[in-house]
Amino acid sequence: MLRALFSLPRTVWLLGLVSLFNDSTSELVYPLVPLFLASVLMAGPKALGLIEGIAEATASLLKLFSGVLMDRRGHAKGWVAGGYGLAAFSRPLFYLAASWPMVLVLRFADRVGKGLRTSPRDALLANSVGDDRRGLAFGVHRAMDNAGAVIGPLLAAWLLARGMALREVFLWSIVPGIVTVALAFAIKEPPAATHVTRKPFSWRLAGFPPAFRRYLVVLALFTLGNSSNMFLLLRAKELGLPDYQVPLLWALTSAVAMTFSTPLAALSDRLGRTRLILAGWVVYGLFYLGLGLNGFHTLLLWPLFAFYGLFLAATEGAEKALVADLAPQDRLGTAYGWFNLTAGVMLLPASLIFGLIYQQAGALAAFAFSATCALLAAILLPLWALRVGHPA
């Protein structure tokens, strides 16, 4: 494993460092947004669902747009650097937010940055290694991304424990944001990433194999139950967790994901992507069912959120590696655009539905809905989407 890790190209490690610093910035802000909305701006779950749904769904359209243009122009670096730069600029401005619509604008800007960079970055990663190391490369990237997701909440918890106001904590996102942009401009694209295709774009996914299209359908079903993670943090607070421990809880989730992302994603190179994704979706369903219950001690939230970290570790790298396994090599940017569009655009109905159920019928009904979507997707993935003995 160590030899394989050190043999990965510079591009993989540099993209990992970019994600590490970016997520340190993002996760310094992200866990505090539901607290900021609830305790400072006095907004409820419906506002949170609207904010996250609109921001993520709109950004997803840009993920397809940037992926298609990358395939046509053959360059990813500009999209990657520009996307990280826009996100880094928007986060400190939460300090100035005086109402939830302003939070919506800033979350929208942050997610637009994500939309511009994600598909070109994923294609750049996939083109940097052979298919026998694709899971490992995505696993390393996710591990470093999750390392940043540990650092950010820990820093947020430390600042809150020292008595710093929520608004002032947001200003700390400036420093890692600057480092993120500097590293992004240092990326060099491998020759494989500059291949240009002039094939026309098709909303019907012409030119993509049936297994890829079925995979997107099942992914859409899963994502319908995969609302914003901010609802998880809101639920933890609702169950009695103190404010300063909320970012620590999310740091634990990210730490588990960081620890297991690389070995689990690398395992998908040998055992197959489907097994890892299937196991992760089942874990997700069980986690949501457990979190929807009332009456348990807040200490149980810690192993429960660690369990959620295993879901992230098992699926994040494998799901993206599977895209490159199924899609034509000359359309990787477009393929990741469709993957990210499918996963992202469903967040609008997912977050709105979850928020409405949560507010009208209670936590158990909302979390049970999400669990049902996940378990149905886990059944359909091997029995329908990837049938015909596909090696994935």
Side-chain angles (χ1 to χ4, degrees):
M1 172 67 79
L2 287 178
R3 180 179 297 179
L5 282 173
F6 288 121
S7 69
L8 288 172
R10 178 177 181 268
T11 301
V12 173
W13 290 106
L14 194 53
L15 283 170
L17 284 173
V18 169
S19 286
L20 187 153
F21 280 95
N22 177 71
D23 253 46
S24 295
T25 314
S26 176
E27 300 299 333
L28 172 65
V29 172
Y30 182 82
L32 302 182
V33 172
L35 305 181
F36 184 61
L37 284 168
S39 61
V40 179
L41 303 182
M42 303 303 174
K46 279 201 297 186
L48 179 59
L50 183 66
I51 289 169
E52 289 303 296
I54 290 177
E56 294 285 357
T58 306
S60 297
L61 293 173
L62 289 176
K63 292 176 185 178
L64 177 59
F65 171 78
S66 60
V68 171
L69 287 186
M70 182 212 153
D71 283 341
R72 292 185 176 182
R73 298 182 180 180
H75 298 286
K77 181 177 176 178
W79 297 104
V80 173
Y84 280 115
L86 178 59
F89 174 77
S90 67
R91 290 166 188 151
L93 297 180
F94 275 95
Y95 176 81
L96 302 175
S99 63
W100 72 260
M102 182 64 175
V103 173
L104 170 61
V105 170
L106 295 175
R107 281 293 291 164
F108 177 81
D110 179 88
R111 297 297 88 180
V112 166
K114 186 177 179 66
L116 293 176
R117 71 181 183 255
T118 299
S119 297
R121 183 204 63 205
D122 290 343
L124 189 56
L125 264 175
N127 278 322
S128 297
V129 295
D131 57 4
D132 60 330
R133 294 192 298 168
R134 197 167 279 150
L136 177 63
F138 277 103
V140 167
H141 179 263
R142 294 309 306 163
M144 297 182 75
D145 187 273
N146 283 308
V150 174
I151 295 169
L154 288 177
L155 179 58
W158 179 70
L159 294 173
L160 288 175
R162 290 176 60 87
M164 184 174 289
L166 282 172
R167 289 186 184 277
E168 295 177 7
V169 174
F170 294 140
L171 290 177
W172 280 76
S173 64
I174 294 173
V175 176
I178 292 173
V179 177
T180 299
V181 176
L183 288 170
F185 277 103
I187 294 170
K188 294 182 179 179
E189 298 184 63
T194 60
H195 178 77
V196 179
T197 178
R198 298 294 180 185
K199 294 179 181 178
F201 173 76
S202 169
W203 285 104
R204 297 183 178 182
L205 284 87
F208 288 95
F212 177 73
R213 288 178 287 199
R214 292 195 299 265
Y215 175 46
L216 293 182
V217 172
V218 175
L219 182 70
L221 173 61
F222 173 79
T223 310
L224 183 63
N226 188 15
S227 58
S228 170
N229 287 329
M230 288 190 181
F231 286 112
L232 307 181
L233 305 178
L234 185 65
R235 177 62 173 160
K237 177 177 170 57
E238 184 179 87
L239 289 170
L241 199 70
D243 283 1
Y244 79 94
Q245 289 186 17
V246 171
L248 289 177
L249 189 66
W250 194 243
L252 171 67
T253 302
S254 299
V256 172
M258 173 190 69
T259 303
F260 291 99
S261 286
T262 299
L264 287 180
L267 192 63
S268 76
D269 290 330
R270 302 193 300 273
L271 298 183
R273 319 287 185 210
T274 306
R275 291 185 179 92
L276 268 295
I277 297 170
L278 178 62
W281 287 359
V282 170
V283 167
Y284 177 95
L286 295 175
F287 166 77
Y288 263 66
L289 285 175
L291 196 60
L293 299 174
N294 291 313
F296 60 85
H297 197 281
T298 54
L299 286 177
L300 291 178
L301 287 171
W302 300 93
L304 198 58
F305 272 74
F307 195 54
Y308 186 69
L310 287 177
F311 149 72
L312 296 174
T315 59
E316 288 179 329
E319 286 175 357
K320 290 190 174 184
L322 182 57
V323 171
D325 293 344
L326 296 174
Q329 189 69 22
D330 61 348
R331 293 191 174 189
L332 274 184
T334 303
Y336 280 111
W338 278 114
F339 171 83
N340 290 313
L341 173 66
T342 303
V345 77
M346 293 302 292
L347 285 174
L348 177 55
S351 293
L352 287 175
I353 291 171
F354 191 95
L356 287 171
I357 296 175
Y358 200 139
Q359 190 153 320
Q360 300 297 326
L364 180 57
F367 281 90
F369 169 78
S370 292
T372 301
C373 290
L375 295 175
L376 284 175
I379 293 170
L380 289 174
L381 182 67
L383 297 183
W384 177 67
L386 302 179
R387 67 178 191 269
V388 197
H390 192 280

